[in-house]
Structures are given as C-alpha cells and as structure tokens.
Amino acid sequence: MTAIRLLLVDDDPLVRAGLSFMLGGADDVEIVGEAADGAEVEALVDRTRPDVVLMDIRMPAVDGLTATERLRARPDAPQVVVLTTFHADEQVLRALRAGAAGFVLKDTPPSEILAAVRRVAAGDPVLSPTVTRQLVRQALGGAADTRRSRARARMAVLNEREREVAVAVGRGLANAEIATGLYLSVATVKTHVSRVLAKLGLNNRVQIALLVYDAGLLEEDPGER
C-alpha cells in the first residue's frame, strides 16, 4: 500500500509537532514536510510532492487562503484540507471556493483528522451539505442575491442531466447514491461529474456544491427550518 504523502502547514510549532505525532504514526501516512508560513508552501510542494496539504488558514505573512489559491491554480496540485478554529468563517468559504477539498477544526479528534486526510486523498470532499449551507448563509450576507444570479448564469451551460447530477452532488450524495436515484451506472455518474467540473471550470465536488447552493437549487431540509 502506498502511503499518503502529507505536508503540514501551521505557524505554531506545537500544533505542527502534535499533528506530526498524531498523523505520522499511521501506517498509511508519511509526513513529507512542514512549513511555518504560506510563503514556504509552493517550494516545499515542489520538493516533497505531497498528496495532501493540511493548511492553517491564519498565518502572519502569507495566509492559508492565499497559499491555497496559489497551489490549486497549479497543474497536478495536491489536495488541500484547511485547518481552522471556526465552523463558519468567510476565509474558510473563500478557501473552499479556491479549491480546498474541505476543512477540519483544530480541536477535532485525531482519528477524525486522519479520516479526513484519507478521504481527501481518495478524492472525497470533507464537507457535509449542512456545513456548506451554514458557511454560505453566514459568510455571504447581503451579497446573496447577486451571487445567486451569477451562479444561475454559470449553471446555464449544463444540460438537464448534468444539472441533475450537480444538484445531487450539492446534496452530498455519493456516486452510487446518485446512480440509484437517477437510474444511471456509477461510471456514467462519474462521467457526468467530470463534465460538470470541466464546463464550470471547477476542480472538486465541494465547489460544485457551493455553486449549486448559490444558485438556489437546494431546498432546505425540513428539520432545519
């Protein structure tokens, strides 16, 4: 089994040491490097070729948001999981829009952080639909109407089936669940997801979910009203 190559980025040396101790002990994870600031990230990525970057959002020189935007703009970019102390924060939302595959709170139990790293390395986002809605509601505020019209204009490039798949992704459904609900094969669903990403200029399922929500295509769960 090939180990997941993990890069740790946090300005607090104690946090880095704790994460290295907790995650480096897993048989399927290899800590390939550590950085104390976002300014160091790109050079370290070039040297160490990580699969996943665990990225602190707040750092003194170059923050995690900027570092994430720079990384995800590169070809063959590693996946990024944002580390934060807040459930719903505008910077977290911006990092997700920039291409981060999800976020974990700094007080998350070690086993859950490890599970998040494994999920992201396997291509699955670390973000529930409920958390997505919380982030959008709390971070966007008065810009919601403008963002909705822009999101709907972007979604207009999708055909009917691609739109259905995008909405299902926005609901947090896995490919197998989407396939069952839309009477498609899993392979066909994967093809549609790839086409949605390409047509919308996105690079992961979290960004699809955010755009679908922005466009007003998700109904609220009755229990949340």
Side-chain angles (χ1 to χ4, degrees):
M1 179 178 61
T2 303
I4 299 166
R5 297 175 62 81
L6 180 64
L7 175 64
L8 304 177
V9 185
D10 196 294
D11 63 325
D12 188 333
L14 292 179
V15 171
R16 294 200 309 276
L19 289 171
S20 182
F21 176 77
M22 291 186 300
L23 303 178
D27 293 337
D28 58 343
V29 174
E30 177 186 0
I31 308 298
V32 296
E34 298 181 15
D37 192 83
E40 306 169 29
V41 170
E42 288 189 275
L44 264 177
V45 166
D46 288 338
R47 289 204 306 271
T48 63
R49 299 296 178 186
D51 302 305
V52 180
V53 178
L54 200 54
M55 181 90 73
D56 186 18
I57 200 74
R58 289 178 171 82
M59 291 177 284
V62 176
D63 62 27
L65 170 62
T66 302
T68 297
E69 290 173 336
R70 291 175 179 174
L71 273 187
R72 295 303 300 172
R74 294 160 50 118
D76 300 321
Q79 297 293 336
V80 176
V81 178
V82 171
L83 276 172
T84 179
T85 54
F86 298 96
H87 283 276
D89 176 83
E90 185 175 2
Q91 285 190 308
V92 174
L93 183 61
R94 288 177 62 193
L96 295 173
R97 292 192 185 284
F103 74 92
V104 293
L105 299 179
K106 287 193 173 183
D107 60 358
T108 298
S111 61
E112 293 182 21
I113 296 179
L114 180 58
V117 169
R118 287 169 173 157
R119 284 187 60 187
V120 167
D124 296 324
V126 184
L127 193 66
S128 71
T130 299
V131 171
T132 301
R133 288 193 282 272
Q134 291 174 347
L135 282 165
V136 173
R137 286 174 185 150
Q138 296 186 34
L140 296 183
D145 290 341
T146 300
R147 193 175 290 276
R148 173 168 292 194
S149 63
R150 290 176 179 172
R152 288 188 173 182
R154 289 184 67 187
M155 295 284 293
V157 303
L158 304 180
N159 63 37
E160 183 177 354
R161 181 61 84 187
E162 290 163 349
R163 181 185 176 97
E164 289 175 337
V165 170
V167 171
V169 169
R171 295 191 188 285
L173 300 181
N175 287 340
E177 295 171 314
I178 298 173
T180 299
L182 297 180
Y183 304 102
L184 301 170
S185 69
V186 172
T188 300
V189 171
K190 290 180 179 178
T191 297
H192 283 308
V193 171
S194 296
R195 288 175 179 168
V196 169
L197 291 169
K199 284 187 175 183
L200 297 177
L202 305 176
N203 57 33
N204 63 38
R205 295 167 76 101
V206 172
Q207 291 180 318
I208 294 176
L210 289 169
L211 186 62
V212 166
Y213 187 84
D214 284 351
L217 301 180
L218 297 181
E219 295 178 358
E220 292 185 359
D221 295 332
E224 291 187 339
R225 292 177 180 173

